[in-house]
Amino acid sequence: MPRSDEPIKAVRGVRDILPDERAIWRVAEQAAARVAHRFGYREIDTPVIEHQELIERGVGEDADAASKELYRFEDRGGRHLALRPEATAGIVRAYWERGLQQGPQPKRLYLIGAMFRYDRPQKGRYRQFFQFDVEAIGSASPALDVEVIEVARTWLFEVGLSELRLELNTIGDGKCRPAYLKKLRAYYRPFKDKLDPDCQRRLETNPLRLLDCKVPQCQPFKAGAPRITDNLCDECEAAWALVLKLLDAAHIEYQLNPYLVRGLDYYTRTVFEIYPAAATGQQDALASGGRYDGLAESEGWNPTPGVGFAGGLDRVTELMTSEGEVVISEPAADVVVIAEGDLVAEAAEVARIARTVSSVAVDYEPRSLARKMGAADKLGARWVALLGAEEAKRRVVRLKNMASGDQGEVSWDELPERLA
Ligand code: HAM
């Protein structure tokens, strides 16, 4: 709780994005929307709050994003709700609840919005963060696995991040995975005492996650563990082969990573993560996703295949900034109106006229002319319209070009023409 005698600051792990920073965010968001449209994806928005059960059943009760990290609360009506930790569960709900299963399939959808996870805050990891989420729902075609990977890469390329590493794996499906998990458990059981407490628990609840554990004491056992790629059913095997073939055909480089299993329980078959090429293993992914053919069913809807990914806008904009991407932030206003004394109504009228063609701010502050000129310059204004009592009577302003310093008298009515 903030102490009552201190000013109230932001909640731990969340951030303000200031106007100067918004410029680079806007570049990333606009590129996301542009690329999504280019691939035929349409925008959807779903609520930030969902039933807690939707998240737990979809994402998995044992998954970090659902168990340890979920922002859950009871509303005034006694409903158990959660702030969404990711977008896929909600989009799949909307797909069925709002009738998107009708008409041509798959439905190609994207969403840009805030997600919430009660994670330990650090650089690149926040409690409120933003995702560009892309989903193709209603088709099992492995071509779509490759398509969403291509959407992710194209987006990252367009924001200037082209040195990327794509890591790829398959984790089978409901048909072949149970037998594989049995083998995995049997392999790990003799070492159980040597594993860290989390992995000892995972051995029973979610053995796949043993493979992406980063704790040093668990590492020596990984290399000898059975691999899912050697234990796929025929359908998963065929889908996997086609994904690799299509990636090759598209000249998309990838690294096979047999330990990539992802932190959300709903995945089947293809899973992938995209990292900056220079990143070490511990660093977080810029974008990640995979296929989730069992998700709709776990939410209580009919079985529905789907595949998608989400890119982290916080990480992407941070990398764009650190790689020196220069985004010229728009000036706050092209024109600043500076009026003498109490000519407030007149200054507002000049602004109203100029605003028909330009962005215009009025300096209403009680400060000297020199200070007002300085402020207009800092705002990045291209023009200053100066208004004195005598000029106001004649309905003219002195219009100053801030770059050249030239100035001249212009009637209010001619302003739009001069500024256009
Ligand atoms: P995810 O891997 O949990 O997948 O998150 C996707 C991306 O969101 C990550 O690669 C990362 O860039 C960003 N991200 C995750 N957590 C944080 C955080 N605490 N702070 C900042 N950025 C973060 C999903 O969310 C799946 N729904 C992706 C998906 C869509 N799979 C299929 N369709």
Side-chain angles (χ1 to χ4, degrees):
M1 284 286 281
R3 275 183 31 208
S4 60
D5 56 348
E6 279 182 4
I8 301 166
K9 305 253 179 78
V11 172
R12 178 168 149 80
V14 307
R15 304 188 298 162
D16 304 300
I17 303 164
L18 301 179
D20 275 349
E21 299 164 323
R22 275 302 300 161
I24 208 152
W25 278 74
R26 199 172 310 115
V27 169
E29 289 162 358
Q30 286 175 349
R34 198 169 57 235
V35 170
H37 282 291
R38 210 181 295 151
F39 281 79
Y41 286 69
R42 299 177 70 205
E43 188 165 22
I44 183 169
D45 264 321
T46 64
V48 165
I49 49 176
E50 294 280 359
H51 288 291
Q52 194 178 308
E53 206 185 338
L54 178 94
I55 310 294
E56 286 174 350
R57 279 175 40 186
V59 170
E61 272 178 74
D62 189 54
D64 289 343
S67 56
K68 286 189 260 151
E69 299 173 3
L70 195 61
Y71 272 96
R72 39 181 130 225
F73 62 98
E74 200 178 308
D75 77 358
R76 287 166 194 265
R79 295 173 197 88
H80 293 276
L81 305 180
L83 297 183
R84 63 180 178 197
E86 56 100 53
T88 315
I91 293 177
V92 167
R93 174 196 56 67
Y95 169 91
W96 275 101
E97 189 176 349
R98 303 300 306 283
L100 296 179
Q101 83 284 6
Q102 289 156 14
Q105 302 294 321
K107 285 290 185 294
R108 291 179 164 91
L109 304 166
Y110 78 93
L111 177 151
I112 297 174
M115 310 293 153
F116 304 85
R117 294 185 194 176
Y118 194 81
D119 210 344
R120 197 165 58 79
Q122 52 187 286
K123 191 170 159 56
R125 190 169 295 186
Y126 306 100
R127 290 183 173 172
Q128 173 179 309
F129 59 98
F130 292 81
Q131 284 187 343
F132 165 39
D133 183 274
V134 169
E135 311 290 354
I137 308 178
S139 163
S141 170
L144 288 167
D145 303 25
V146 176
E147 179 176 289
V148 298
I149 289 174
E150 221 173 324
V151 174
R153 275 170 37 103
T154 308
W155 172 54
L156 293 168
F157 281 3
E158 275 200 22
V159 297
L161 306 177
S162 53
E163 306 282 305
L164 303 171
R165 187 177 76 243
L166 166 65
E167 296 196 3
L168 196 68
N169 194 20
T170 175
I171 56 170
D173 66 3
K175 201 166 153 198
C176 49
R177 196 156 48 197
Y180 168 70
L181 294 182
K182 230 172 160 179
K183 277 194 191 175
L184 197 60
R185 275 203 189 96
Y187 166 80
Y188 267 102
R189 275 228 173 88
F191 315 123
K192 186 168 177 179
D193 295 345
K194 301 201 176 80
L195 302 174
D196 87 304
D198 267 346
C199 279
Q200 293 191 11
R201 185 178 47 79
R202 285 186 190 126
L203 181 52
E204 304 311 326
T205 57
N206 192 357
L208 213 51
R209 294 300 307 273
L210 290 165
L211 295 175
D212 75 345
C213 165
K214 305 277 188 306
V215 177
Q217 78 189 77
C218 304
Q219 302 311 305
F221 311 110
K222 272 192 198 174
R227 296 201 169 175
I228 180 79
T229 38
D230 300 326
N231 290 276
L232 295 173
C233 59
D234 291 345
E235 293 84 352
C236 285
E237 180 80 53
W240 181 229
L242 188 52
V243 166
L244 300 184
K245 189 175 142 197
L246 292 173
L247 284 170
D248 290 338
H251 305 290
I252 296 175
E253 280 182 31
Y254 52 85
Q255 280 181 15
L256 297 179
N257 177 356
Y259 306 125
L260 178 62
V261 296
R262 309 275 298 121
L264 309 166
D265 281 2
Y266 52 58
Y267 288 109
T268 50
R269 298 190 175 168
T270 312
V271 289
F272 65 91
E273 295 188 333
I274 301 179
Y275 292 87
T280 60
Q282 301 298 318
Q283 211 153 341
D284 289 308
L286 295 174
S288 35
R291 181 162 277 288
Y292 47 85
D293 295 346
L295 174 58
E297 213 176 347
S298 72
E299 292 182 3
W301 307 105
N302 291 355
T304 317
V307 64
F309 78 92
L313 281 158
D314 300 79
R315 293 181 193 167
V316 165
T317 51
E318 257 160 32
L319 195 61
M320 288 165 72
T321 308
S322 71
E323 302 224 320
E325 180 143 344
V326 182
V327 174
I328 313 278
S329 47
E330 298 256 308
D334 270 343
V335 184
V336 173
V337 181
I338 295 178
E340 214 170 66
D342 54 3
L343 297 171
V344 174
E346 292 81 353
E349 189 178 344
V350 168
R352 223 167 278 128
I353 294 167
R355 215 168 266 138
T356 56
V357 296
S358 202
S359 68
V360 186
V362 184
D363 190 336
Y364 291 116
E365 301 313 306
R367 53 187 167 201
S368 71
L369 182 65
R371 296 275 302 280
K372 288 188 184 193
M373 290 302 287
D377 200 32
K378 279 202 187 117
L379 280 178
R382 288 168 52 213
W383 302 95
V384 165
L386 291 154
L387 189 63
E390 191 271 325
E391 281 130 351
K393 261 190 224 127
R394 293 192 290 121
R395 291 177 66 85
V396 297
V397 292
R398 261 181 300 135
L399 189 65
K400 178 168 179 181
N401 180 320
M402 295 297 274
S404 66
D406 295 347
Q407 53 177 308
E409 220 171 70
V410 181
S411 80
W412 295 2
D413 295 335
E414 279 169 18
L415 266 176
E417 210 174 297
R418 284 293 296 275
L419 296 171

